[in-house]
Every structure is written in structure tokens, then in C-alpha cells.
Amino acid sequence: MSSPDFSLERTAFSKGATLVAGVDEVGRGPLAGPVTAAAVILNPQNIPAGLNDSKKLSAKKRTEMATEIRSVAQVSVAHASVAEIDEHNILRASHIAMERAVAALDPAPDYLLIDGNLIPKGLTITSEAVVKGDARSVSISAASIVAKTVRDEIMMDLAQQFPGYGWETNAGYPSKSHKEALRNLGVTPHHRRSFKPVHNILYQE
């Protein structure tokens, strides 16, 4: 598949938009840690080269790109906590994180390109859901890179406080070693109790 480009943003400008933000989240699948969203308004005259879906970039490249994105774009990052994930559900929590990231952008965008097939219900700005958006829109791919680097840093910090779960390498995702550690070491305050592998350990017969 070809790399993301600026065509969706240009289409938004042709409809009268002046500031277009790409929005993406990371961390829906992990058993532990927050869900993190980023919103990014790129400068059409200064788009970093090499933007792509964060999953297609090495950790080193993501970190370099995130620094570059922050230096040339408007960037906002927000989270929904483990408690919010357990209270609502992971989809709603990821949308809450997106809504917070958009709300913190200054200046505020007037058009949003949102990764996925749903538009968070709390958004009042004109929005377009873009399936596989991080592979199609440079604004969304920039948001995915920023969100991923921030969340990975959070999980590395938590790994220092709660060693043994491998969060510094699995970022809280349900790897074999992480699930094994859950069984052997138990559930931490940072585990999502509403997620089945965690729930089953807490409430096993």
C-alpha cells in the first residue's frame, strides 16, 4: 500500500476548512496502562518526510519523527485512565482520550480526520472517520506516531515500578510472558480489570 499523503487534508480545505487535525489513539489492546490519543495539525508548508503508520516504523524512528512533528506542528496528547476504561469500555475510553486531545489543541481545528470508522460522540467539530487512516493521511499518521511514543514511555516508567511483566517491551499488550507474569505475580493497579485475562485471574473459582 502507498504511503499516507495530504490529499484528505486538501479535500477538507476545498470544503472551506482552515485548520485540519489528524486524530489517532493507541493502546486499545493492552491488558494494562491507559489508552492514549494524539491530535496533530500539520503545517502544509512543512510536512515532515517519512510519515507513516507508527506500527511500520522502528521505535528509534518513531522517537525521531515524534520530536520532528512536535517542532513543526500543533500537537496535543491526552489519555483515558485504566479506571475510565473499566468504567465505560475500551472503545468509549479511547474516544474520551481523542475528545480530550482535540479539546487541548490551540488554536482549535475546524475539521478533524479521525482514524477508524466511528466519530467520538463528544466532538462538535466537523469530522470525517477514515478507516486505516494512519496509512492514508499524514496528519493521522503523525498523531499515531506521537501517541505511540508517549504511551510507550508511560509503560516503560510503569515497568520500573512493577518489574516482571515486561511492559518495557510488550507495552502492556497480552504477550505470552505478560499473561504468565499476571498468573505468577498477580494483578497490579495498572491492569484493566474489565479485560478477560485480568478479570479471570481476579475472579477465578
Side-chain angles (χ1 to χ4, degrees):
M1 196 173 180
S2 57
S3 298
D5 59 31
F6 203 66
S7 56
L8 290 169
E9 290 83 347
R10 273 195 294 271
T11 301
F13 292 140
S14 74
K15 296 176 186 171
T18 56
L19 288 174
V20 178
V23 186
D24 200 2
E25 52 68 34
V26 66
R28 274 169 61 165
L31 304 178
V35 61
T36 300
V40 175
I41 301 174
L42 291 173
N43 175 351
Q45 266 66 56
N46 195 355
I47 298 171
L51 285 172
N52 210 330
D53 175 356
S54 63
K55 295 183 284 295
K56 294 179 180 168
L57 303 173
S58 67
K60 181 171 180 284
K61 184 66 175 167
R62 272 197 304 268
T63 302
E64 290 169 2
M65 295 273 344
T67 302
E68 188 180 353
I69 291 161
R70 287 177 182 278
S71 71
V72 298
Q74 295 285 355
V75 175
S76 166
V77 180
H79 314 275
S81 67
V82 167
E84 288 172 314
I85 292 167
D86 288 340
E87 180 190 343
H88 299 285
N89 61 53
I90 186 58
L91 177 63
R92 179 66 198 131
S94 67
H95 283 183
I96 289 169
M98 285 180 169
E99 290 162 14
R100 287 174 179 159
V102 170
L105 275 176
D106 185 21
D110 55 8
Y111 198 96
L112 304 175
L113 295 170
I114 296 170
D115 185 57
N117 60 354
L118 295 170
I119 292 168
K121 62 186 179 187
L123 293 174
T124 54
I125 299 164
T126 303
S127 303
E128 180 182 344
V130 185
V131 175
K132 297 200 185 328
D134 42 12
R136 293 173 59 196
S137 154
V138 282
S139 300
I140 295 175
S141 67
S144 83
I145 290 165
V146 171
K148 174 89 174 125
T149 50
V150 170
R151 191 180 182 282
D152 283 354
E153 282 167 16
I154 290 170
M155 296 312 293
M156 281 180 195
D157 288 345
L158 289 177
Q160 305 299 309
Q161 300 167 47
F162 295 88
Y165 296 89
W167 292 342
E168 66 281 2
T169 54
N170 65 39
Y173 281 87
S175 65
K176 192 178 172 204
S177 59
H178 184 186
K179 288 195 280 191
E180 219 162 83
L182 251 180
R183 286 191 292 272
N184 296 332
L185 302 173
V187 177
T188 73
H190 299 285
H191 277 104
R192 302 171 178 180
R193 283 155 167 69
S194 56
F195 278 44
K196 209 169 190 175
V198 182
H199 184 273
N200 289 351
I201 284 166
L202 282 170
Y203 302 101
Q204 56 196 335
E205 296 302 313

